[in-house]
Amino acid sequence: MDNFVVSARKYRPATFDTVVGQAHITTTLKNAILTNHLAQAFLFCGPRGVGKTTCARILAKTINCQNLGKSEAVEPCDHCDSCVSFNQNASFNIHELDAASNNSVEDIRNLIDQVRYPPQSGQYKIYIIDEVHMLSQAAFNAFLKTLEEPPSYAIFILATTEKHKILPTILSRCQLFDFNRIQPRDIADHLASIAQKEGIQTEYEALELIAQKADGGLRDALSMFDLNVTFSEDRILRYKEVLENLHILDYDYYFRLTDLLLAGNLPQSMLLFDEILRKGFDGHQFIVGLSEHFRNLLVCKDVATIQLLQVTESIQQKYLQQAAEAPLSFLLSALSVGAQCDLNYKSAKNQRLHVEVCLMKLANLPNVLDIHAVPVLSSHSEPGETRNPEQAEKKKDSSADRDALTTSREPVALPSHTSEPTNGYHPQPNGNGTAKPLPERSPVIAGIPKPVGSKLRTTSNLVTVERPVATMADAVATALAEAPEMIKVDKPFTFEELQTVWQTYARMRDQQDGSRTEQVMLNRAFRLEGTMIHIALDNSLQANLLNDLRQDLLTYLRRELQNSQIQLTDTIALQETRKMIYTPQDKFNYLAEKNPALLELKRTLGLDVDY
Ligand SMILES: [Zn+2]
C-alpha cells in the first residue's frame, strides 16, 4: 500500500499559473522576475492556508531555474538540475524557518550566519520565515541590519497572518503582498479538478459546502476534502454525507425557518428549532447562522450589495427568491433581534428558552411591522392609478390610520417609473419557481418614501401643497415653510427681561404654596451667560428644592422668554463649615495646625496616632 499523501501536499501548486485565487500576486511576481526588478525582502500577509508559503517556494524555484528566460512564460522548466532538486525537496538554496518555534535571537543569528555564504549552485538563496510576527523583539532587532542590506544573492520572504504585529521598521524594508481569502467558487472548482484526477465522483454541491466551511483557506478545504473522501465508502462525495461529516446545518433549515417566520408561524418554527437541536446542533451556532442568513437576504435586496453574498450559484438563486419575499423592515428588525440573542446567549441560564424567545419575537415581527400594510413607495392609491386591486385594498385600510399623522405623502410617479407602481415588497408568487429578478432601483426603507414627488399636508392649517420635491430634506423644508406657526425660533432676551420673568415666577410660587426656604432660594443672585443661568445657592437643601422645581421653572422661563435654549445650573457657595474634631487623627491635625512643631516631633520620633 502506498503511503497516503494529503491532497494539500500532493497538489501543492508548482507553478505560478496553478496558484488558486491569487492572480494579483503571481502576476506581480512574474512581472518583477521578467523585468529583473525583484525586491530582496518580501512580506506576504494573509489568512492561513491561502498560498503564502507556496508562492514563496514557487518564487524560489523560478528564479533559480537554469532555463529561465529561454521561453516566454515566466515559469520554472521542471527539468534542469535546480528544478529537479527543488521538486525533490533537496535544494540547498531554500531555507525555511518557522518563527513560531524558533523566535530567539540565537535562531536569527544562525540564519544570518548562513546568509554569509553564497549559493553553491543556482543564483539565489531564498530564506522563508513563516509566522514572522512571533519573533521576539531582540530577534527582530538582530535581523534588521541583514534585512536592510542583504547580499545580492539573498532574498527574504517573510510570511505572517498578523500584519499588524510586525514592527514598522520591518514593514518599511519589505515589499508588501496581501493575499486574499480564496473565493468559495475557486476553491470548489479546484477541489473538483483534484477529485477528477483522483477518480473521485463528487456532487458539486458537496464541494461548495466544503468551500463554504473552509472560509477562504484552501489548505483547510483540502484537508476537509481528504477527510470526507476517507469517510465515504464508495469514493463518492455526496452533499448529504458531507453535510453530516462536517456537522454543518443545512441552508435549507434557514430557508424553511425564514418562510415560517415571515408567515408568523411560531409553532412550526419552534418545532423546527427542536429538530435542529435534536440533530446535535448548538443553539448559539444556530442563532449565529440564522443572523447570517438574514444578512445574506439583506445584501440580496440591492444590486450593489449582491456581490457581498459569498455563496455558490445554486444557493444564490434561493437567496434571491427569498429576499424578494422578505421585506426590508423585517430583515432589519430580525437582524437586530438575532444580534441581541447572540450577545446574551452566554449569560442566559436557560439557553434553549433564550433562543425560543428570540424565535417568538421574530415570528411576531410580521404582526408588529404590519409588513403587508406598510407602504412601499406609495401610501395611498390615486384614483387614476392602475394597480393590483388586492394591494390597493390593503393600502386603503392602512392609509386611514396614517391620515392622522401630521404629514402624509403621496408620491407622484416619475415618467421612468410609471410602468411599475410599487417597488415590490409584497410577496409576488412566481409561477415558474425561478427567482424574481431584483428590482432595478435600490430598495426603500419602509416608511421613508422614495424621493419622487410629494404632497404635504399639515393638520394644523390643512393647506395642501403639491410640488415635486427632490429629496427628503427638501420635503421637510417645504413642510416647515408651509407651516410657519410650527417653527420655533429662539428669541434673544436681556438680563433685565430674565429678572422680570424670574421675579414673576417667584411671586407666583409664593402665592401658591411656596415655603420660606424656596423663596430664599428663588431670591438668590444669579447671572446669565448666553442662555445659561448660573445661580449660586447656600446649601444642599436649596439645591434639592431647586432640583424639584427645575423643570417647572425652566418650562416657564422658556415659554415666557420664547427661547428653548435656556438652561439652569447651580453651584453651592463654599462655606466655612465647622468640622467636628472627633477622631484622634482629627485632634492631632487640629493641634498640628496650631503648632507645626508637632509634625516635626511626630516624624522625628516615628510616632503614630493611636486609634
Ligand atoms: Zn528549471
Side-chain angles (χ1 to χ4, degrees):
M1 188 181 159
D2 288 342
N3 276 338
F4 174 69
V5 181
V6 294
S7 301
R9 280 186 59 197
K10 190 170 176 184
Y11 294 100
R12 189 189 271 277
T15 59
F16 283 126
D17 283 345
T18 49
V19 174
V20 180
Q22 310 291 1
H24 63 296
I25 304 236
T26 51
T27 313
T28 315
L29 288 177
K30 272 159 78 172
N31 285 339
I33 297 171
L34 201 64
T35 54
N36 220 354
H37 275 136
L38 212 55
Q40 286 205 275
F42 296 90
L43 181 63
F44 287 179
C45 319
R48 68 201 160 92
V50 294
K52 296 187 294 292
T53 314
T54 302
C55 276
R57 286 185 189 163
I58 296 174
L59 179 69
K61 183 175 164 187
T62 309
I63 54 181
N64 273 316
C65 174
Q66 290 153 3
N67 294 323
L68 192 68
K70 291 187 181 165
S71 68
E72 281 295 298
V74 190
E75 297 283 8
C77 71
D78 251 350
H79 304 300
C80 66
D81 292 344
S82 168
C83 287
V84 169
S85 63
F86 262 103
N87 288 349
Q88 292 169 348
N89 283 332
S91 176
F92 288 113
N93 288 339
I94 188 160
H95 301 269
E96 291 190 34
L97 179 82
D98 177 25
S101 46
N102 307 294
N103 59 358
S104 66
V105 195
E106 268 318 298
D107 296 313
I108 286 297
R109 290 218 176 105
N110 286 341
L111 184 115
I112 296 170
D113 283 344
Q114 286 179 37
V115 175
R116 288 210 203 106
Y117 306 106
Q120 307 225 311
S121 65
Q123 226 185 325
Y124 296 100
K125 269 177 124 175
I126 311 315
Y127 297 87
I128 303 174
I129 305 179
D130 251 331
E131 307 294 337
V132 69
H133 61 271
M134 302 284 277
L135 281 186
S136 65
Q137 183 78 35
F140 262 128
N141 290 337
F143 190 38
L144 274 181
K145 187 71 192 151
T146 315
L147 196 61
E148 188 161 32
E149 289 170 356
S152 60
Y153 49 80
I155 289 183
F156 292 99
I157 301 176
L158 315 181
T160 180
T161 47
E162 286 163 73
K163 185 167 139 193
H164 58 276
K165 288 189 184 166
I166 309 282
L167 297 177
T169 42
I170 297 274
L171 283 178
S172 65
R173 285 166 170 82
C174 298
Q175 209 168 63
L176 256 65
F177 286 88
D178 284 302
F179 283 66
N180 293 335
R181 269 177 211 288
I182 304 169
Q183 294 294 313
R185 198 161 307 153
D186 291 339
I187 295 184
D189 288 344
H190 186 66
L191 292 180
S193 72
I194 289 179
Q196 205 181 5
K197 285 175 202 158
E198 293 281 311
I200 298 165
Q201 284 183 41
T202 55
E203 289 176 7
Y204 193 68
E205 285 77 27
L207 299 181
E208 286 181 334
L209 206 59
I210 295 175
Q212 278 294 320
K213 178 94 174 176
D215 191 28
L218 192 57
R219 187 172 53 218
D220 288 0
L222 286 168
S223 22
M224 276 185 252
F225 174 79
D226 286 346
L227 181 79
N228 279 287
V229 172
T230 319
F231 271 133
S232 72
E233 288 166 1
D234 46 6
R235 287 177 78 78
I236 300 175
L237 282 194
R238 292 184 191 83
Y239 178 76
K240 282 273 169 239
E241 287 164 11
V242 172
L243 205 61
E244 259 172 45
N245 289 339
L246 296 182
H247 202 64
I248 298 175
L249 191 54
D250 194 358
Y251 286 104
D252 195 47
Y253 278 107
Y254 295 127
F255 281 111
R256 271 160 60 198
L257 187 67
T258 308
D259 279 340
L260 290 172
L261 292 175
L262 280 171
N265 190 339
L266 179 63
Q268 286 302 319
S269 314
M270 297 201 22
L271 286 177
L272 194 64
F273 176 54
D274 179 60
E275 190 184 326
I276 292 167
L277 286 183
R278 271 191 285 117
K279 278 184 171 261
F281 288 97
D282 173 47
H284 201 184
Q285 197 185 348
F286 161 76
I287 208 73
V288 171
L290 187 63
S291 296
E292 197 182 320
H293 181 78
F294 290 142
R295 177 260 183 202
N296 283 346
L297 290 175
L298 190 74
V299 299
C300 287
K301 279 285 186 193
D302 198 303
V303 191
T305 51
I306 202 159
Q307 52 176 320
L308 298 177
L309 184 71
Q310 288 209 335
V311 298
T312 40
E313 253 158 61
S314 58
I315 304 164
Q316 192 168 353
Q317 288 305 317
K318 286 182 87 172
Y319 270 114
L320 287 174
Q321 202 170 350
Q322 193 164 63
E325 288 164 12
L328 190 63
S329 53
F330 173 82
L331 291 178
L332 291 173
S333 308
L335 274 169
S336 152
V337 171
Q340 203 61 41
C341 180
D342 174 25
L343 214 62
N344 297 330
Y345 187 87
K346 284 271 185 278
S347 57
K349 279 266 179 336
N350 184 343
Q351 298 182 322
R352 181 187 174 126
L353 180 66
H354 186 64
V355 177
E356 281 174 346
V357 168
C358 171
L359 284 179
M360 289 171 202
K361 286 181 192 164
L362 291 174
N364 198 35
L365 276 181
N367 293 332
V368 178
L369 297 168
D370 199 10
I371 50 177
H372 297 295
V374 164
V376 176
L377 190 58
S378 29
S379 51
H380 300 258
S381 285
E382 288 285 301
E385 270 182 285
T386 51
R387 64 173 66 203
N388 185 339
E390 201 185 314
Q391 283 179 14
E393 198 54 45
K394 276 181 191 161
K395 282 173 199 296
K396 245 179 240 165
D397 295 340
S398 57
S399 62
D401 302 335
R402 265 184 303 281
D403 272 352
L405 297 173
T406 346
T407 50
S408 59
R409 308 169 183 96
E410 298 186 20
V412 183
L414 287 176
S416 60
H417 295 163
T418 42
S419 57
E420 201 187 328
T422 69
N423 210 5
Y425 282 145
H426 302 275
Q428 289 171 358
N430 207 320
N432 52 15
T434 53
K436 226 184 72 175
L438 278 179
E440 290 274 291
R441 285 153 278 143
S442 58
V444 183
I445 293 170
I448 301 176
K450 256 196 104 68
V452 273
S454 71
K455 189 197 275 179
L456 294 150
R457 188 172 59 205
T458 59
T459 44
S460 46
N461 53 9
L462 288 173
V463 173
T464 310
V465 211
E466 206 166 355
R467 67 174 63 154
V469 181
T471 61
M472 264 309 280
D474 283 359
V476 172
T478 315
L480 290 175
E482 295 300 331
E485 71 277 9
M486 303 288 286
I487 305 167
K488 283 187 179 155
V489 178
D490 294 323
K491 260 176 67 176
F493 58 92
T494 63
F495 185 64
E496 284 70 32
E497 283 168 335
L498 172 67
Q499 271 182 319
T500 317
V501 175
W502 186 288
Q503 279 154 17
T504 316
Y505 181 81
R507 273 199 302 278
M508 222 165 64
R509 288 294 305 173
D510 194 25
Q511 280 159 20
Q512 284 169 9
D513 54 349
S515 65
R516 192 66 222 134
T517 329
E518 186 182 293
Q519 279 305 309
V520 172
M521 183 267 290
L522 283 174
N523 281 312
R524 293 289 308 167
F526 58 81
R527 60 198 168 81
L528 183 67
E529 273 176 25
T531 55
M532 176 65 83
I533 303 166
H534 297 267
I535 183 164
L537 302 176
D538 292 327
N539 49 42
S540 56
L541 183 66
Q542 289 183 352
N544 288 342
L545 266 173
L546 180 66
N547 266 341
D548 293 343
L549 213 59
R550 183 185 299 268
Q551 206 48 50
D552 188 48
L553 175 61
L554 275 177
T555 311
Y556 182 81
L557 293 176
R558 285 172 186 168
R559 191 176 65 229
E560 290 300 307
L561 294 168
Q562 293 181 33
N563 191 317
S564 64
Q565 304 296 319
I566 299 176
Q567 295 292 339
L568 177 63
T569 176
D570 58 276
T571 44
I572 298 176
L574 279 177
Q575 278 190 330
E576 285 283 319
T577 46
R578 272 242 315 276
K579 224 180 136 192
M580 292 293 284
I581 299 171
Y582 190 71
T583 63
Q585 180 74 53
D586 288 344
K587 287 174 189 162
F588 175 78
N589 288 347
Y590 176 75
L591 291 173
E593 216 168 276
K594 291 199 157 186
N595 186 359
L598 276 177
L599 282 172
E600 184 66 31
L601 177 76
K602 184 186 168 200
R603 199 174 54 241
T604 317
L605 298 179
L607 298 175
D608 215 340
V609 183
D610 186 25
Y611 290 99

